[in-house]
Amino acid sequence: MLSNLGNIILFLNALITLSIIYISIQKIKIKDQVVSKNIYQLSLFQSTLIISSFFILVIGFVTSDFSMITVYQNSHTLKPLIYKISGTWGNHEGSLLLWLIILSLFSFLFLVYNKSRPGNFRIYTLIVQNILILGFLFFLLFNSNPFSAISPIPKEGLGLNPILQDPALAIHPPLLYLGFVGSSIYFSAAIASMLANYPGKLFAQSIKNWVLISWWFQTVGILAGSIWAYYELGWGGFWFWDPVENASLLPWFAMTALFHSLLVLEKRNLFYFWVIILCILTFILCVTGTFLVRSGILNSVHTFASDPSRGIYILFFLSFLILSSVFILFKKFQTGNYKINTNSKETYILVNNWFMIFYLITVLLGTIYPIFTEVLTNHKVSVGPPFYNTVIIPIVVLFLIFMSLGPRTKWIKDRFQDFFLLIKLLTGSILVNFFIVIFFKSYSLLSNLIIISSLFLIFSSLLDLISSLKRTNTDFSRVISHLSFGFLILFIGLNHNFSFEKDFNLKVGEKKKIDDYTVEFEDLKLENFKNYKAVVGNFKIDNNKKKLNLSLNPEIRIYQQPSTLTYEASIRTGILKDYYLTMSNIDRSDYYNIKFQKKPFMLWIWVSVILISAGGLVRLFKNENKIS
Amino acid sequence: MKKLIILFYFLISTAVVSTEKNLVDINDVLKNLRCLVCQGQSVADSNSDFSQTIKLVVQDQINEGKTEKQIYKFLKEKYGDWIVYNPSFNMINSILWLFPYLVFLVGGALIFLLLKKRDYR
């Protein structure tokens, strides 16, 4: 029943999308500048329908309707309600439906929020956006239909991958999709701006908030994924340069470059085509990311969502997007005027873009390089953390320095005046770093440079903050984001250098002394939960010097549906550091493998990212207030 | 000038203090190895039988006094380049290692030319 209803709605939706495209093209043909009422109604109807089809799928999951293949493959009657619901988008088909909701909803909202702008720009945007909707709708209907029926109807579902049964992972995909798919609207607007000859400055104003919204969701989505990886995957890290992590980072670089360039386009009407290229690039990277994840072409922790046949369709659609947008770009391209002074904000924003593109190319190359070597030379290589760290970190040092200098410069032209102030700041940073090295632990030369340059950024942003408090027109958003970025790099640097990790085997009742710490394996309990059993260890951590005494309880969970073992880390989060303990069984032995870690400033890494994203929100609200 | 000298002193003394140690840290090695039977996990982070075996092998090699490079070479010969996360620098891989810097240089040159063009006019 639900399956039929869902299918009918999806087909109806395809018809509506086609008619929106048809009506809009007719409008363009007769040069009608008015967006008529029926377009609004159809667009609203489209969003409503796709949302209701999603709710039908949610109902299917909640009521465990195994007549639908998607529900059968990803759910189980014994699963807690929240994971039945989050299971809706925890699989390929359901997440694609979510993807379509965002495409449709953004299409409608963009139409409504830009009433003051010329009709042909809005209609072109609507056409491009609806072509995207149609492309994904066909993909959904003919390749990945969440409403496909199965017969005979199975009695019980296969269950959801246990590592996905987690609150952070319930919100991680929707957040990231809002970032990924949110970028579709400025892709459409960019194409529309070229087709409708909508001038740069006004175009910048029309999309800047949408860029900020998608950037915010992208940032927070990546954060949720990192936090999840930190406590769920049991290795104590938060970023592994895994191909799929990279796929989410690539559009983030493009978005960051984009909203910096948009400032120049809005203020000085420069870089129009560069902004257009970045708009197109961002969305293309988002679709590429989806292709990499869903096709299973790459070896990654995320391969629970892969299937080659999906890859071919996405690849086809991706090529279509790239070719058509590049074609339009070439047809419309004109060399603009680029009169800018060396020492101006414009130059520094270009510098920001220069670095962003460098990061983007490096990460993109590292991610897809193994595919090329395997196809061309039949030789498998791995490109992992050492590559990215070696190539990127030295450049980050330079980047942080430019990032400190940039915001102090004025638009159009500035003179070098606070040179001595900068020397003072630099001296301060070197001093602080010197004390860290003396009193705590020494680290490599590169780490020294990273810490010094991040301190430099922090000090100069703080100075900015103080001086801007005296003025009335304060740009808090930039100060907050830049300052927090400095802190992020500082804390990552310190965390990397002061982390401590010990790996050993213990059995119940035994003790292990590591430096000043004593780890005691007190006992082991077996506990029963609704959908899994857990072996819970009880560990006591003592440190006489620091008067530390805490107990940690890592678990080994035994899931039946599907039958899997997962290892749950036990984490004690503190202001200055986290203690992190995992245990795993060793076959045919009473011993357990214990991994004990001390991870300084973890909390502050998360807080820094939250503050970076908060800067974006501040800017968004400021923009909104200016309009009204 | 005095300030600059003091600045320089701190920079150099920091560099001297941070001379690196030469001992092979087993965790560093294991983190750089791919668990071949897992999906995107390093040997250090995995509980699989494969990883347990590799951990023992690496420990043995360290006990024999081998350097980090020698251990990687040994494992590459046995399992292929796929096992090490750090792609070695050779003829083919030079594209991977050098292309990002090429992009960086070209980007810098473009910005430089853009600014210079303006100054002449």
Side-chain angles (χ1 to χ4, degrees), chain A residues 414-428:
Chain A
D414 201 354
R415 275 173 297 164
F416 295 100
Q417 42 195 4
D418 27 56
F419 183 68
F420 280 99
L421 182 71
L422 293 175
I423 291 286
K424 273 182 206 160
L425 288 180
L426 191 62
T427 318

Side-chain angles (χ1 to χ4, degrees), chain A residues 581-598:
Chain A
L581 195 118
T582 49
M583 101 185 155
S584 57
N585 49 318
I586 300 170
D587 278 353
R588 297 170 295 277
S589 157
D590 289 344
Y591 280 91
Y592 285 79
N593 183 260
I594 314 294
K595 196 182 269 180
F596 176 58
Q597 300 185 62
K598 200 173 77 180

Side-chain angles (χ1 to χ4, degrees), chain B residues 37-49:
Chain B
V37 298
C38 315
Q39 293 284 356
Q41 269 187 313
S42 77
V43 168
D45 310 326
S46 152
N47 298 307
S48 66
D49 287 345

Side-chain angles (χ1 to χ4, degrees), chain A residues 108-312:
Chain A
F108 176 67
L109 291 176
F110 191 80
L111 202 64
V112 174
Y113 274 94
N114 285 289
K115 277 193 176 148
S116 57
R117 303 190 187 278
N120 61 342
F121 168 64
R122 295 166 66 204
I123 293 175
Y124 271 120
T125 311
L126 192 68
I127 295 175
V128 181
Q129 187 74 5
N130 273 280
I131 292 173
L132 298 178
I133 294 174
L134 202 63
F136 282 102
L137 202 53
F138 279 160
F139 181 40
L140 190 79
L141 272 170
F142 302 117
N143 177 287
S144 316
N145 194 333
F147 298 108
S148 293
I150 185 171
S151 150
I153 300 168
K155 286 233 156 51
E156 190 49 274
L158 297 177
L160 179 70
N161 187 341
I163 64 166
L164 301 185
Q165 300 185 23
D166 183 276
L169 216 66
I171 59 161
H172 164 64
L175 289 174
L176 214 48
Y177 286 157
L178 278 162
F180 264 53
V181 191
S183 72
S184 66
I185 198 69
Y186 43 91
F187 168 84
S188 301
I191 303 277
S193 157
M194 286 192 288
L195 293 174
N197 295 317
Y198 191 53
K201 196 169 177 153
L202 296 170
F203 167 66
Q205 284 167 357
S206 75
I207 65 163
K208 63 178 182 187
N209 285 348
W210 301 88
V211 177
L212 281 172
I213 290 170
S214 65
W215 176 85
W216 187 82
F217 279 112
Q218 190 79 9
T219 312
V220 181
I222 292 175
L223 176 71
S226 292
I227 294 177
W228 169 78
Y230 173 65
Y231 69 72
E232 181 69 34
L233 295 181
W235 96 93
F238 55 92
W239 195 265
F240 191 60
W241 298 103
D242 177 89
V244 176
E245 294 173 353
N246 293 347
S248 69
L249 197 59
L250 291 171
W252 190 89
F253 290 138
M255 285 173 196
T256 310
L258 177 59
F259 72 69
H260 282 92
S261 281
L262 270 180
L263 293 172
V264 186
L265 184 60
E266 195 191 349
K267 199 107 185 170
R268 305 258 352 255
N269 211 2
L270 295 171
F271 309 156
Y272 173 68
F273 278 100
W274 177 235
V275 165
I276 295 281
I277 291 171
L278 285 175
C279 286
I280 294 171
L281 184 69
T282 308
F283 185 62
I284 297 281
L285 286 170
C286 291
V287 182
T288 311
T290 314
F291 164 69
L292 292 176
V293 182
R294 300 298 165 79
S295 66
I297 198 165
L298 291 165
N299 186 297
S300 141
V301 277
H302 290 71
T303 25
F304 36 74
S306 72
D307 173 2
S309 77
R310 296 167 188 164
I312 293 164

